[in-house]
Amino acid sequence: FTLQKETPLANAVFWAARKGNLALLQLLLNSGRVDADCRDSYGTTALMVASYSGHYDCVKELIMQGADINYQRETGSTALFFASQQGHHDIVKLLFEFGASTEFQTKDGGTALTVASQYGRSKVVDILLKNGANVHDQLNDGATSLFLAAQEGHVTVIRQLLSSGAKVNQPREDGTAPLWMAAQLGHSEVVKVLLLRGADRDADRQDGTTALFKAALKGHHSVIEELLKFSPSLGLLKNGSTVLHAAVLSGNLQAVLLLLGANADPMLPNKVNIDYMDLKDRMRKKKHLNRLLFSYILHTFYLPF
């Protein structure tokens, strides 16, 4: 928090809420000289600060003193949002007991559930879902709670969301599906769970790339292995290339071998008729390509050079 204090007393209330100094907070609130809903110029309240900082007793005191639980600061965040973000599940429960709502959104479309999912707060996610949070909440760019959890590699949260009806293939507005994002970032366990729960292995983005293409390009071997179990496309993609081309371009020997072992066609030319052998000549000139790559393949798979 960057607090813009308005008065010395408000400053003291914020300090007590942030530090968890219940005695000082009570003294200030009971003095009658400062309101429980005092706020800074951004609309930040002491309840938000205490919720963010994880001070249960201070949160309860502020609520008992009449603090507005669902007040939104300038960004749209509420006390529930901050408690969820930080994983303070006991405070999340307390806020619900006194009427907190899951429906408030931040300016970018974020809710308590989206932020808890993004940060992997599984206990909080469970409480939010049990208290009516919408599993289909989306940020302004279309990212769902499931997408955010997949992006960050939070397997437990992903299982919770899927069990509550989250759509496994719901993409962002740019066409990026949770599986694609998890594959690109190397989250193999997430990829495994999503595939087992029905993720489209060949779903592509607007640029025509699939999850396997990105995994091959990035050299994420464990992700490639998981995807290959579900027989993804090894032929030409909408981007005019193949996953084997991607692996060669990355200069990653193990990725190439995994794809060849899955019967990827090494002689298949891409859309502009640059085949595997032409790529070999081009990539050999690049320093990052392991020179052993093609000689190893030659002796293992008897490819003509």
Side-chain angles (χ1 to χ4, degrees):
F1 281 99
T2 303
L3 298 173
Q4 297 293 318
K5 315 313 192 295
E6 302 305 313
T7 67
L9 282 176
N11 180 31
V13 169
F14 284 124
W15 186 91
R18 187 169 63 251
K19 296 295 184 179
N21 191 324
L22 180 61
L24 176 59
L25 184 63
Q26 290 174 325
L27 183 67
L28 291 164
L29 295 174
N30 290 334
S31 72
R33 298 175 61 194
V34 62
D35 191 86
D37 271 332
C38 62
R39 54 188 70 108
D40 69 8
S41 59
Y42 298 119
T44 312
T45 65
L47 182 62
M48 294 176 191
V49 175
S51 297
Y52 179 91
S53 303
H55 300 307
Y56 183 94
D57 290 338
C58 289
V59 169
K60 189 169 185 178
E61 180 66 24
L62 285 160
I63 292 173
M64 301 312 269
Q65 293 271 5
D68 183 350
I69 287 183
N70 290 313
Y71 186 80
Q72 291 178 278
R73 76 192 298 246
E74 190 178 279
T75 59
S77 305
T78 62
L80 181 64
F81 181 94
F82 288 120
S84 299
Q85 180 190 64
Q86 297 305 109
H88 302 312
H89 54 90
D90 54 342
I91 293 176
V92 170
K93 281 184 179 179
L94 180 65
L95 291 169
F96 275 127
E97 287 174 17
F98 287 91
S101 171
T102 62
E103 296 180 5
F104 291 100
Q105 293 182 318
T106 60
K107 286 185 176 180
D108 66 356
T111 62
L113 183 60
T114 62
V115 77
S117 300
Q118 181 179 355
Y119 281 77
R121 313 299 189 185
S122 58
K123 288 184 178 180
V124 171
V125 167
D126 183 56
I127 297 166
L128 291 171
L129 291 171
K130 287 178 178 176
N131 282 274
N134 185 356
V135 76
H136 305 302
D137 282 345
Q138 291 176 279
L139 301 185
N140 295 342
D141 65 2
T144 61
S145 295
L146 180 66
F147 182 96
L148 295 167
Q151 185 175 41
E152 301 300 326
H154 301 310
V155 179
T156 300
V157 171
I158 287 169
R159 289 196 174 102
Q160 290 172 290
L161 294 169
L162 288 171
S163 296
S164 296
K167 297 176 182 178
V168 72
N169 290 311
Q170 181 70 43
R172 254 185 348 199
E173 287 185 354
D174 63 0
T176 309
L179 180 67
W180 189 100
M181 183 58 72
Q184 180 194 232
L185 294 170
H187 300 315
S188 58
E189 278 301 306
V190 171
V191 168
K192 181 178 181 179
V193 171
L194 293 175
L195 287 168
L196 288 170
R197 296 298 293 268
D200 181 356
R201 64 192 183 278
D202 289 322
D204 54 14
R205 292 206 317 170
Q206 293 169 356
D207 61 6
T209 61
T210 62
L212 183 57
F213 186 92
K214 290 303 293 189
L217 196 62
K218 297 281 187 175
H220 297 314
H221 311 136
S222 56
V223 172
I224 294 171
E225 289 173 345
E226 293 298 337
L227 286 162
L228 289 175
K229 293 175 185 176
F230 286 78
S231 303
S233 174
L234 300 176
L236 277 179
L237 303 175
K238 290 180 183 177
N239 65 350
S241 192
T242 69
V243 293
L244 187 56
H245 281 97
V248 173
L249 283 168
S250 72
N252 194 287
L253 174 60
Q254 190 173 343
V256 170
L257 294 178
L258 283 169
L259 294 170
L260 288 173
N263 297 318
D265 184 357
M267 306 310 293
L268 185 65
N270 71 7
K271 198 172 184 180
V272 291
N273 206 35
I274 299 175
D275 63 18
Y276 183 78
M277 308 310 297
D278 294 326
L279 278 171
K280 177 261 297 184
D281 291 331
R282 291 184 179 200
M283 296 308 297
R284 182 178 282 163
K285 297 175 183 178
K286 293 194 175 183
K287 291 181 181 179
H288 74 272
L289 181 63
N290 189 331
R291 288 182 175 237
L292 294 176
L293 173 60
F294 294 100
S295 62
Y296 190 97
I297 294 171
L298 172 64
H299 291 102
T300 308
F301 296 94
Y302 307 101
L303 298 180
F305 276 73

